[in-house]
Structure formats: structure tokens, C-alpha cells
């Protein structure tokens, strides 16, 4: 718990990560509500936009934020030192997971509050599956972030995670449904963790349903990325 609290405070004190985790998703949500990009996909622009923004929050915190932080902790020997203390590797990883969930909880509160002011009307039956899917998405992107951070140089981690955040956010189906993407993207987004998370959350909050295929893709990515991170993660 103490390690989780430390990791959470560290993430919230980082101005760059705070912008990535909260400010940019909020700006994206407002932008989607004032443009016609999502017209015709649901009862209102805000109803279609919010699930994707929540998915973007999970990717920002779990993949980009945690990946960059872990990469630089590895570079400066923090991970190697902590792994030899009573905290151990298990405690260290648990602390990072708790930090991701804590920051994600704050993101959900802030985004939901702003969205409700803008007129968001989620399907009541979608809250429980939506939150469970969001946690699964956070686990998936945490595994992917740790895989990148534990196998390449910190500078490369910074470049890779930020580049993928932009590409997946714009063309990965996480914020913008596949129907509004170029034909080439439409063919692959359903097999990406970004597209699966975005679509699963839209189905939950728009219709109160569970997209089994999207959940399966997320579980598969989580298992593969988690196994690969365990196998190839370098602590120093």
C-alpha cells in the first residue's frame, strides 16, 4: 500500500504526465462534442465521445505514463535497488498497479463530472461492465507499458510510448469509432487493444451490453504482453 501511495503521488506530481492523463483527454472530449465527427453514431456526440475518452485515459496512465516512469526508474537503477529490498519485485509491481488504478479512478471522476455537465447520459446498465472493462484495459496497457519499458532504452521508451499514444488515439479506434476511420484502419482496429477497449466501452455505456469479442481480444493482449514482460523484462 505504501509503495502504491508513493507511485501515485509521483505520477500526480509529474506535470507532463498530468497533462497527458487528464488535460488532453478533457480537451479531446470537448473537441469531439463541438465537431460533427461523431454525428450519426449515437443519440448525441457526448454519449459517443465519453466511452472513448475513458479508454484514452486508461491508455494514457497505464501505457504511456507508467511506461515512461518505469523506463527511467530502470535506467537510474531504482528498480534494481528496490527489487533487492523487502519490498521485492512482487511488491514493486503491485505498487505500480495500485498507482495506475488510483490515477484512473481520479480520471474517471473528473471526466465523468465534466461529461455530465456537457449532457452525457450513459446507459445505467453499462456502469458495472464498463468499469470492469476499463480495469481490464488498464491491466492490458500496463502490461504493454512494462514490456516496452523493460526491454528498450528509456529514451526509446519515451519515443515509442508517445508515438503509439498519438497513433492509437487518432487511428486505433480508441476514441474515434472504426466507422469514421480510413478503410485501412477499419480492417485492423478490432484486433488492437485500443480498438477493442474503445468499442467495448461504447457498447457498455451506449447500449448496456458486453462486447464479448472485444473483451476476448483484450484478454489475449493482456496475457501475451504480460507473459512477454515477465519473460524479457530487464531490471537494470
Amino acid at each position: 500500500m505504501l509503495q502504491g501511495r508513493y507511485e501515485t503521488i509521483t505520477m500526480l506530481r509529474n506535470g507532463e504526465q498530468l497533462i497527458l492523463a487528464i488535460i488532453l483527454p478533457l480537451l479531446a472530449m470537448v473537441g469531439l462534442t463541438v465537431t460533427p465527427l461523431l454525428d450519426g453514431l449515437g443519440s448525441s456526440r457526448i454519449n459517443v465521445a465519453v466511452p472513448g475518452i475513458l479508454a484514452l485515459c486508461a491508455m494514457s496512465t497505464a501505457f504511456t505514463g507508467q511506461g515512461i516512469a518505469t523506463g527511467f526508474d530502470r535506467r537510474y537503477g531504482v528498480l534494481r535497488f528496490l527489487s533487492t529490498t523487502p519490498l521485492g519485485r512482487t511488491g514493486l509491481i503491485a505498487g505500480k498497479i495500485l498507482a495506475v488504478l488510483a490515477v484512473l479512478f481520479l480520471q474517471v471522476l473528473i471526466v465523468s463530472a465534466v461529461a455530465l455537465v456537457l449532457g452525457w447520459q450513459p446507459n445505467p446498465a453499462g456502469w458495472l461492465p464498463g468499469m470492469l472493462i476499463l480495469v481490464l484495459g488498464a491491466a492490458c496497457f500496463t502490461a504493454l507499458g512494462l514490456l516496452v519499458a523493460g526491454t528498450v532504452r528509456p529514451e526509446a521508451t519515451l519515443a515509442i510510448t508517445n508515438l503509439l499514444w498519438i497513433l492509437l488515439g487518432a487511428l486505433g479506434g480508441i476514441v474515434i469509432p472504426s466507422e469514421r476511420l480510413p478503410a485501412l484502419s477499419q480492417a485492423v482496429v478490432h484486433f488492437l487493444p485500443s480498438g477493442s477497449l474503445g468499442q467495448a466501452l461504447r457498447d457498455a455505456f451506449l447500449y448496456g451490453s458486453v462486447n464479448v469479442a472485444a473483451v476476448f481480444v483484450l484478454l489475449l493482449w493482456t496475457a501475451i504482453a504480460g507473459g512477454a514482460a515477465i519473460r524479457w523484462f530487464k531490471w537494470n
Side-chain angles (χ1 to χ4, degrees), residues 129-130 133 195-205 209-211 214-215 218:
I133 291 168
S196 299
L197 180 58
Q199 191 58 51
L201 287 178
R202 279 187 287 273
D203 286 344
F205 285 111
S209 62
V210 176
N211 189 319
V215 171
L218 280 175

Side-chain angles (χ1 to χ4, degrees), residues 8 61 96-106 134-135 138-139 142:
T8 302
T61 299
K96 290 184 175 297
I97 293 173
L98 287 174
V100 168
L101 293 177
V103 175
L104 183 58
F105 176 73
L106 292 176
L134 194 60
V135 170
T142 298

Side-chain angles (χ1 to χ4, degrees), residues 166-230:
I166 294 172
L167 291 177
L168 294 178
L171 299 173
I174 195 167
V175 173
I176 303 173
S178 59
E179 297 91 328
R180 292 293 189 269
L181 295 175
L184 183 60
S185 296
Q186 290 183 27
V188 299
V189 292
H190 298 297
F191 302 102
L192 299 176
S194 55
S196 299
L197 180 58
Q199 191 58 51
L201 287 178
R202 279 187 287 273
D203 286 344
F205 285 111
L206 285 173
Y207 312 114
S209 62
V210 176
N211 189 319
V212 177
V215 171
F216 176 77
V217 172
L218 280 175
L219 287 170
L220 190 60
W221 273 99
T222 304
I224 293 173
I230 293 172

Side-chain angles (χ1 to χ4, degrees), residues 16-64:
E16 178 184 338
Q17 290 190 25
L18 195 61
I19 291 175
L20 192 66
I22 296 177
I23 304 301
L24 290 182
L26 286 176
L27 290 176
M29 182 174 68
V30 173
L32 289 172
T33 60
V34 298
T35 59
L37 185 62
L38 301 180
D39 284 355
L41 296 177
S43 56
S44 68
R45 295 173 183 174
I46 189 67
N47 284 349
V48 180
V50 175
I53 296 301
L54 293 175
L56 184 66
C57 287
M59 185 172 71
S60 300
T61 299
F63 180 64
T64 310

